[in-house]
Amino acid sequence: MALAGKRIGRAASVACRRLVGRQVLIPGRISRSAQITTVCKVHKVCVLPGDGIGPEIMEVATKALTMAGAKEGEDFEYKYCLIGGAAIDATGKPLPDETLATAKESDAVLLAAIGGYKWDTLPSAQRPERGLLAIRAGLNAFANLRPAIVPRQLADSSPLKRELVEGVDILIVRELVGGIYFGQPRGFGVNEKGERIGFNTDVYSEPEVERIARVAFEAARKRSKRLCSVEKSNVLEVSQLWKEVVIRVGKDYPDVELSHMYIDNAAMQLLRNPKYFDVIVTGNIFGDILSDEASMLAGSLGLLPSASISGSGPGIYEPVHGSAPDIAGKDVANPLAMVLSAAMMCRYDLSIPKVADRLEAAVNAVLDAGLRTGDIYKEGPDTRLVKCSEMGSELMKHL
């Protein structure tokens, strides 16, 4: 499940500096007699537990992150803020100004989940999801990186045959602050027949497409050098522009094999032949759909993290799954995607990969031990059903 060696992203100036004694050190080992002084900048993390199961899985993740950091001499300063439904209840706004300000001042943002049935009747502009869109736009987190990896321990938990999914390792690069979710005009109206209508605008500029394409090409270079661009250029002008720009950018990456696929075919191939894909780049709405579909290759959304990076400011790290209000407070949620999101944060924004290694190793260890929350549980002699808090306790043991 480790993402080491396949990552991209900005190098944050938060690396820990170690002053070691004069002894010659073997890489990876430090003599007990060596005198070590660790001088670290505290990593400032804006923590957004959000709604539903968010607080439960965030508690597990921050405890694991703190312990993994302590083992590597890294420290974290957590600032908890409101977003989504919790923010609406407290302030009347899905994204309070204070939350955005704190996020901008942080080294990274760790987000659990937002939304729930409670707020479904609110006007569109006041719903929890608007807070998520607003913080992405406010931090200019334009590139969403969603790995879809099938752990060897869970290949039999997939709804697809083991031979189809075992070894799948896909990275979906989704443009996150443009397209139909942000395009104007949008809203409700009345057509010439007097019928009520709803409308949205799918729009991309050349610079928006170029910057996400470059992120994807750079990612492909660090992996298997294969990139598939997904769009619908046979019927959509916005997709025709997308394809044109991606092809142009691809000339700067002659070592990367570029292919193109319509969204409907891509959705089918993800289930028919998922190993065909390495890196996928696509727009906002198509990326939303494909990444959720790809998550089911492993049998559950509860295992997949994501990173939303800007290239200049703090990124947002969150699990792919939602707030699951139907199981909130029951201690049955799967915290592993939240923990893996924290690991991605350590790699991409905080530049402390050894902490990420520890978190990912602990996740692999609990899966190897047969521990499963309800969403990934399959009865057998080598598996045991555990609650969210118990999974957290077992993670701490392995850390």
Side-chain angles (χ1 to χ4, degrees), residues 48-278:
L48 306 176
D51 310 314
I53 62 172
E56 301 168 58
I57 61 174
M58 184 65 79
E59 182 179 3
V60 172
T62 51
K63 285 182 177 179
L65 179 60
T66 299
M67 177 172 280
K71 295 292 185 180
E72 297 294 338
E74 304 290 349
D75 196 13
F76 300 92
E77 176 186 307
Y78 302 124
K79 290 191 176 181
Y80 288 77
C81 295
L82 297 172
I83 192 172
I88 292 171
D89 289 347
T91 70
K93 299 170 61 177
L95 180 66
D97 295 340
E98 180 182 356
T99 296
L100 183 57
T102 301
K104 289 180 176 180
E105 294 170 358
S106 301
D107 296 316
V109 177
L110 197 58
L111 169 66
I114 63 166
Y117 311 131
K118 178 181 178 180
W119 303 282
D120 282 351
T121 57
L122 292 176
S124 177
Q126 299 174 22
R127 290 185 182 179
E129 292 75 15
R130 302 305 298 178
L132 181 58
L133 296 178
I135 196 169
R136 288 171 177 171
L139 296 178
N140 193 29
F142 71 90
N144 183 224
L145 312 179
R146 291 192 172 188
I149 301 171
V150 180
R152 67 185 185 282
Q153 307 96 326
L154 298 177
D156 289 328
S157 298
S158 173
L160 300 182
K161 294 180 179 178
R162 185 183 187 97
E163 57 266 29
L164 280 178
V165 299
E166 189 172 18
V168 164
D169 184 351
I170 302 170
L171 178 65
I172 297 178
V173 180
R174 168 190 172 191
E175 200 291 323
L176 202 59
V177 296
I180 200 166
Y181 292 158
F182 291 89
Q184 297 291 340
R186 61 183 297 156
F188 300 94
V190 178
N191 64 16
E192 65 277 4
K193 298 180 181 179
E195 301 164 336
R196 189 165 180 260
I197 61 171
F199 55 92
N200 295 84
T201 303
D202 194 1
V203 58
Y204 274 113
S205 67
E206 288 190 343
E208 285 177 319
V209 180
E210 179 173 346
R211 68 179 181 178
I212 194 66
R214 291 194 181 279
V215 168
F217 275 108
E218 292 291 340
R221 266 186 172 172
K222 293 175 173 64
R223 292 171 55 99
S224 300
K225 294 183 170 58
R226 292 186 295 113
L227 175 63
C228 180
S229 175
V230 174
E231 27 74 7
K232 191 64 175 171
S233 56
N234 57 332
V235 294
L236 297 177
E237 285 80 3
V238 64
S239 286
Q240 292 166 16
L241 176 72
W242 178 283
K243 184 175 183 179
E244 175 188 321
V245 174
V246 171
I247 291 173
R248 185 172 71 234
V249 172
K251 294 178 181 178
D252 295 336
Y253 299 87
D255 54 324
V256 177
E257 177 189 339
L258 174 63
S259 61
H260 304 271
M261 194 174 290
Y262 296 148
I263 176 61
D264 42 359
N265 188 29
M268 179 181 68
Q269 296 302 330
L270 266 178
L271 300 180
R272 180 177 179 271
N273 184 24
K275 294 179 186 177
Y276 167 82
F277 298 101
D278 183 50

